[in-house]
Amino acid sequence: MNYQDVLFLDKHDPLAAKRQEFSLPADCIYLDGNSLGALPLAAHKRASEVVSEQWGNDLIQSWNKHQWIDLPRQVGEKIAPLVGAAPGQVICCDSISVNLFKLLCSALHMQPDRKLVVSQADNFPTDLYMVQGVSELLSSERCTLQMVSEDTIENALNDQVAVLLLSQVNFRSGKLLDMQKITQKAHKKGILVIWDLAHSAGAFQVELDQCQVDFAVGCGYKYLNGGPGAPAFLYVAKRHQQFVQQPLSGWMGHKAPFKFDAQYIASEGVQQYLCGTPPILSMSVLDAALGVYEKLDMDLLRKKSVGLSELFMQSVDQYEVLSDLHLHSPLQAEHRGSQLAYQHPAAYAICQNLIARGVIGDFRAPDILRFGFTPLYLRYEDIWQAVKILAEIIGDKTYLDEKYTTEQKVT
Amino acid sequence: MNYQDVLFLDKHDPLAAKRQEFSLPADCIYLDGNSLGALPLAAHKRASEVVSEQWGNDLIQSWNKHQWIDLPRQVGEKIAPLVGAAPGQVICCDSISVNLFKLLCSALHMQPDRKLVVSQADNFPTDLYMVQGVSELLSSERCTLQMVSEDTIENALNDQVAVLLLSQVNFRSGKLLDMQKITQKAHKKGILVIWDLAHSAGAFQVELDQCQVDFAVGCGYKYLNGGPGAPAFLYVAKRHQQFVQQPLSGWMGHKAPFKFDAQYIASEGVQQYLCGTPPILSMSVLDAALGVYEKLDMDLLRKKSVGLSELFMQSVDQYEVLSDLHLHSPLQAEHRGSQLAYQHPAAYAICQNLIARGVIGDFRAPDILRFGFTPLYLRYEDIWQAVKILAEIIGDKTYLDEKYTTEQKVT
């Protein structure tokens, strides 16, 4: 493919206009929307309204006047179609970590005779940490983490296992698991399944209901563009809602939160997973950000995501100087999320050098360069340029400069 | 006291200039800053910076460039002096409810031979609910809630009690408990004490270290003016930090969060109470809001808080039509926080009528009118006017109009 072909792709991109709905920095190719999504103009506008008008002017009355009280449900229902959930199953609240704690406790409570929680050994660490926290609290008699490699998940499914906790897309490699097949196999062994959608929700159409998933969590600040640390969401399948309980029983999860009763009585439905007062500013911004997904054809989104990824891979292959980059992601698009990982011994320095050149990617220890593809605001031309710059950096060995060494980075 | 005296008080108020640091709605007397603090100009400015520049322009790099990663610690250290805590003991994170869960689990873990958690029967409900959640999860053998009236707290302290969980200021009555005396008595019986500072922090100087408190939680959106649903904070006394553990072991509480190890190792110090990614926008706004407390003389703040409250009480006494209002708060200032509660059979309708007249107070079921006094942005004249309007409403019985009836309200 040559540059003219790339321009042709952009010109005929049915999602091209979506880019206009974002505020993007100049002179920057942003391949890290899977860490922190870009700023939607609607989110910018809402932030300003919530601060000046709702908080500043209407003050406490905004809980009713601007329906702050309904935000967790409202945002949940906006996310629901993106993850293939019928209404009444998704709610926005807390962080992924806190939500995992709630769901792990719920699921273990439903499995009184089983204690094993199976997860990927290279799941995102906080998922594993939360299981360890539950285990410490309840004792290993009630909860024991068993870590398995992604290739052996299905072998680990037996009737000792209480819960299977998996990230649908691996945060490092981008490997996409077969949600339907794995969930089905787990259910055959009586295992409840929690899917972490951090790198799936908003990246492609997820099908929770169709796959008969039991529980799920997901992130508001990656593909959903909800802003830094935007609240997370959780999903509880309708069929479980009347049997579940969860221990973070704060006032917002109460059946009658304004009665100020001393006795906790859980709300019905997924609302029982609410706990304390949510960060209204952050949640409002996520609410507005979700507007960019309205009436979006998710097939087009996925098609462009694959197109951007394939272009990246093909472009890398065109540069001889990039032959030391080793693809750490699955080769076939159907086994990948919306990101690519490449191994290189100098990945850290290369990542820093890329950033200095205006190409924002991600480093993941020990040797991974990670590039995220967000079809809503990336152009094919961006991909072309990014790989060109990557080739220059590696070809000219500019990354060896010592200024590209020590720093910290966040997911 | 007459109107001229009131104007004199405002003219000589050493905190009068602080009002200029807030954006306040026109034609409104806001006596509900203890539910949701008003908007500081600095918070407004920061919200705009975080959205446009930090998120919009610097994107993922802001975690380092704008020190998002340090916000929980930084905000905690800004709150610390307001609650009398030496550095390294306060951290900003999650909600009060979630933080109570962490601390309850920590405290119970330190008391393996005791199971009782004593609390005020009329504590804010979420405090009681969180104990009930822990009890459900761990069994009543490990955690049992015992509710006592505020008058009998000290009688309930015996060597069966693991944890004493108290709100320093009662959310309804405004009654202020003697933190030093109660904490000391509890310690003599080997009881660990958790104080909820929701209605104390920022209302007057709290003395956690001096009172040898074990644990505390507090709210960012009331007197601290951090915006709707601003993240909460928690305090863990230095002497306990090396012995504690808490079950919400998310990635931010890890000793080396960027190593992406599969094994959770808790951070040392109060950082181990962090869990998931915080809502950066909401937390940044709280960070900026705390600027109004910088170099503030807390004695002046308390003095004005008492002055506003006393003026309110005296003014009520001056109107014969207000003789049906029954003071539900302690008569003496030293036993009150920064709010007053009055009982009236028609409290709900009166509250609605007040709001319609531009006086924003609070209704608390079943029959309480609650008025909060925030010395940073209230004038003595506001109090004078508010009581005048209250007298008109009750004198003219306008509150009997049926439009002042059904609605919901949030703390």
Side-chain angles (χ1 to χ4, degrees):
Chain A
M1 202 175 295
N2 62 36
Y3 188 57
Q4 292 311 314
D5 298 333
V6 169
L7 294 183
F8 181 88
L9 286 174
D10 279 324
K11 202 175 164 190
H12 295 90
D13 172 13
L15 296 179
K18 277 283 163 191
R19 184 175 164 91
Q20 309 310 319
E21 297 182 30
F22 290 84
S23 170
L24 296 162
D27 305 321
C28 170
I29 298 173
Y30 192 58
L31 304 181
D32 208 2
N34 52 335
S35 275
L36 173 64
L39 168 62
L41 298 178
H44 192 175
K45 182 162 172 275
R46 179 77 72 88
S48 174
E49 284 168 9
V50 174
V51 173
S52 304
E53 292 160 39
Q54 299 183 10
W55 175 16
N57 202 64
D58 295 330
L59 286 156
I60 191 71
Q61 296 175 272
S62 295
W63 281 99
N64 296 313
K65 189 171 174 184
H66 301 291
Q67 284 291 296
W68 287 350
I69 193 66
D70 192 42
L71 270 175
R73 191 202 59 79
Q74 178 178 314
V75 175
E77 294 301 8
K78 285 188 186 178
I79 294 168
L82 302 178
V83 296
Q89 302 177 106
V90 180
I91 199 122
C92 179
C93 53
D94 298 311
S95 61
I96 283 194
S97 303
V98 169
N99 289 337
L100 277 174
F101 186 86
K102 299 173 193 166
L103 294 179
L104 283 164
C105 290
S106 289
L108 287 167
H109 184 77
M110 291 166 74
Q111 302 272 42
D113 301 322
R114 302 180 181 202
K115 64 174 186 180
L116 285 181
V117 178
V118 168
S119 191
Q120 295 133 305
D122 61 345
N123 201 343
F124 188 69
T126 216
D127 295 47
L128 304 174
Y129 299 163
M130 295 315 294
V131 183
Q132 293 169 45
V134 174
S135 182
E136 280 284 330
L137 182 67
L138 301 185
S139 90
S140 56
E141 300 299 306
R142 282 298 298 123
C143 175
T144 295
L145 173 63
Q146 183 189 344
M147 292 188 280
V148 299
S149 76
E150 249 163 23
D151 300 332
T152 62
I153 291 169
E154 293 181 25
N155 300 335
L157 304 180
N158 59 55
D159 57 15
Q160 310 283 298
V161 179
V163 181
L164 177 62
L165 166 61
L166 296 175
S167 284
Q168 189 183 14
V169 175
N170 185 289
F171 79 105
R172 271 199 198 86
S173 69
K175 182 175 174 179
L176 171 67
L177 296 181
D178 187 334
M179 179 180 274
Q180 183 131 33
K181 186 174 132 207
I182 294 174
T183 302
Q184 203 168 37
K185 292 211 170 189
H187 283 173
K188 279 193 181 152
K189 300 288 180 182
I191 300 166
L192 292 166
V193 188
I194 306 175
W195 285 97
D196 181 338
L197 310 177
H199 292 272
S200 328
F204 52 83
Q205 180 66 49
V206 179
E207 298 289 2
L208 293 177
D209 284 351
Q210 191 185 300
C211 297
Q212 300 226 42
V213 166
D214 301 291
F215 305 101
V217 295
C219 178
Y221 55 79
K222 295 177 186 286
Y223 292 95
L224 298 183
N225 309 305
F233 66 89
L234 63 76
Y235 163 93
V236 177
K238 204 89 182 176
R239 66 186 179 280
H240 294 317
Q241 290 181 7
Q242 57 183 309
F243 308 110
V244 291
Q245 62 179 64
Q246 66 93 6
L248 297 180
S249 45
W251 76 273
M252 275 198 92
H254 196 283
K255 192 172 184 173
F258 300 101
K259 275 206 172 169
F260 294 95
D261 280 342
Q263 183 65 40
Y264 184 77
I265 301 168
S267 175
E268 286 158 20
V270 73
Q271 274 84 354
Q272 69 192 282
Y273 284 84
L274 298 182
C275 183
T277 308
I280 295 298
L281 186 49
S282 290
M283 199 177 281
S284 299
V285 164
L286 170 57
D287 182 60
L290 288 165
V292 299
Y293 277 95
E294 243 175 69
K295 296 180 191 162
L296 184 73
D297 182 337
M298 293 296 279
D299 286 340
L300 288 180
L301 185 86
R302 176 64 176 170
K303 205 174 156 195
K304 184 172 172 189
S305 156
V306 170
L308 293 168
S309 311
E310 298 285 325
L311 174 60
F312 195 101
M313 290 164 73
Q314 288 166 22
S315 303
V316 166
D317 290 343
Q318 279 178 351
Y319 288 98
E320 210 181 297
V321 290
L322 295 182
S323 58
D324 283 350
L325 284 180
H326 173 67
L327 184 68
H328 181 62
S329 303
L331 197 60
Q332 288 178 293
E334 69 258 40
H335 297 309
R336 288 195 313 261
S338 196
Q339 65 198 56
L340 286 172
Y342 285 90
Q343 284 176 297
H344 190 287
Y348 183 80
I350 293 168
C351 183
Q352 296 307 309
N353 197 168
L354 277 172
I355 291 169
R357 294 283 307 269
V359 179
I360 317 294
D362 235 333
F363 166 73
R364 281 292 173 261
D367 60 355
I368 301 257
L369 282 164
R370 191 181 74 167
F371 303 102
F373 305 105
T374 47
L376 294 176
Y377 49 86
L378 280 179
R379 298 166 299 202
Y380 290 94
E381 190 189 351
D382 295 323
I383 304 302
W384 175 270
Q385 291 292 349
V387 180
K388 185 163 169 277
I389 292 168
L390 180 62
E392 285 168 15
I393 284 169
I394 292 184
D396 299 344
K397 295 197 191 310
T398 54
Y399 65 86
L400 294 174
D401 193 305
E402 83 182 86
K403 72 186 162 202
Y404 303 127
T405 44
T406 44
E407 218 187 338
Q408 259 190 351
K409 195 61 185 355
V410 171
T411 185
Chain B
M1 202 174 294
N2 63 36
Y3 188 56
Q4 292 311 313
D5 298 334
V6 170
L7 293 182
F8 182 88
L9 286 174
D10 279 325
K11 200 175 166 189
H12 298 279
D13 172 12
L15 296 180
K18 275 284 163 191
R19 185 175 163 90
Q20 309 310 318
E21 296 181 30
F22 290 85
S23 170
L24 296 162
D27 306 321
C28 171
I29 299 174
Y30 192 59
L31 305 181
D32 209 3
N34 52 336
S35 275
L36 173 63
L39 169 62
L41 298 177
H44 193 174
K45 183 163 172 275
R46 180 76 73 87
S48 173
E49 285 168 8
V50 174
V51 173
S52 304
E53 293 161 39
Q54 299 182 12
W55 174 17
N57 202 64
D58 295 330
L59 286 157
I60 192 70
Q61 295 176 274
S62 294
W63 280 100
N64 297 312
K65 189 170 174 186
H66 301 291
Q67 284 291 294
W68 288 350
I69 192 66
D70 192 42
L71 270 176
R73 191 201 61 79
Q74 179 179 313
V75 174
E77 293 301 8
K78 285 187 185 178
I79 294 168
L82 303 177
V83 295
Q89 301 177 106
V90 180
I91 198 121
C92 180
C93 52
D94 298 311
S95 62
I96 283 195
S97 303
V98 169
N99 289 337
L100 277 175
F101 186 86
K102 299 174 193 166
L103 293 179
L104 283 164
C105 290
S106 288
L108 287 167
H109 184 77
M110 291 167 75
Q111 302 273 43
D113 302 323
R114 301 181 181 202
K115 64 175 185 179
L116 284 181
V117 178
V118 168
S119 191
Q120 296 133 304
D122 61 345
N123 201 343
F124 188 70
T126 217
D127 295 47
L128 304 174
Y129 299 162
M130 295 315 292
V131 182
Q132 291 169 45
V134 174
S135 183
E136 279 286 328
L137 182 67
L138 300 186
S139 89
S140 56
E141 301 298 306
R142 283 298 297 122
C143 175
T144 296
L145 173 63
Q146 182 187 345
M147 291 188 280
V148 299
S149 76
E150 248 164 21
D151 300 332
T152 61
I153 291 168
E154 293 182 25
N155 300 336
L157 304 179
N158 59 53
D159 57 14
Q160 310 282 299
V161 179
V163 181
L164 178 61
L165 166 61
L166 296 174
S167 284
Q168 189 183 16
V169 174
N170 185 289
F171 80 105
R172 271 199 198 86
S173 69
K175 182 175 176 180
L176 171 66
L177 297 181
D178 187 333
M179 178 180 275
Q180 183 132 33
K181 187 175 132 207
I182 294 173
T183 304
Q184 204 168 35
K185 290 210 171 188
H187 283 173
K188 281 195 179 147
K189 300 289 181 183
I191 300 165
L192 292 166
V193 189
I194 306 176
W195 285 97
D196 181 338
L197 309 177
H199 291 272
S200 329
F204 51 83
Q205 179 65 50
V206 180
E207 298 290 1
L208 294 177
D209 284 352
Q210 191 185 300
C211 297
Q212 300 227 42
V213 167
D214 302 291
F215 304 101
V217 294
C219 178
Y221 55 79
K222 296 176 185 286
Y223 293 96
L224 298 182
N225 309 305
F233 66 89
L234 62 77
Y235 162 93
V236 178
K238 203 89 182 176
R239 65 185 179 282
H240 294 317
Q241 291 180 6
Q242 56 184 308
F243 307 110
V244 291
Q245 63 178 64
Q246 66 93 7
L248 297 181
S249 45
W251 76 272
M252 275 200 91
H254 195 283
K255 193 173 183 174
F258 299 100
K259 275 205 171 168
F260 294 94
D261 279 344
Q263 183 64 39
Y264 184 76
I265 300 168
S267 176
E268 285 158 22
V270 73
Q271 273 84 356
Q272 69 193 279
Y273 284 83
L274 298 181
C275 184
T277 307
I280 294 299
L281 186 48
S282 289
M283 199 177 281
S284 298
V285 165
L286 170 57
D287 182 60
L290 288 165
V292 299
Y293 277 95
E294 245 175 67
K295 296 182 189 160
L296 184 74
D297 182 336
M298 293 294 279
D299 286 340
L300 288 180
L301 185 86
R302 175 64 177 170
K303 207 174 153 192
K304 184 172 173 190
S305 156
V306 171
L308 294 168
S309 312
E310 297 285 325
L311 175 59
F312 195 101
M313 291 163 70
Q314 288 166 24
S315 305
V316 166
D317 290 342
Q318 281 178 353
Y319 288 98
E320 210 181 297
V321 291
L322 296 182
S323 58
D324 282 349
L325 284 181
H326 172 66
L327 183 68
H328 180 63
S329 304
L331 198 61
Q332 289 178 293
E334 67 258 40
H335 298 308
R336 289 196 313 261
S338 196
Q339 65 197 56
L340 285 173
Y342 286 91
Q343 285 177 297
H344 191 288
Y348 183 80
I350 294 169
C351 183
Q352 297 306 309
N353 196 168
L354 278 172
I355 291 169
R357 294 283 307 271
V359 179
I360 316 292
D362 235 332
F363 167 72
R364 281 292 172 260
D367 61 355
I368 301 258
L369 281 163
R370 192 182 73 168
F371 302 102
F373 305 105
T374 47
L376 294 175
Y377 49 86
L378 279 179
R379 297 166 300 200
Y380 290 94
E381 191 191 349
D382 296 324
I383 304 302
W384 175 269
Q385 292 292 350
V387 180
K388 185 162 169 278
I389 293 168
L390 180 62
E392 286 168 15
I393 284 169
I394 292 185
D396 301 344
K397 296 198 191 308
T398 54
Y399 65 87
L400 294 175
D401 192 304
E402 87 183 79
K403 71 186 163 202
Y404 303 127
T405 45
T406 44
E407 216 187 339
Q408 259 189 352
K409 196 60 182 1
V410 172
T411 184

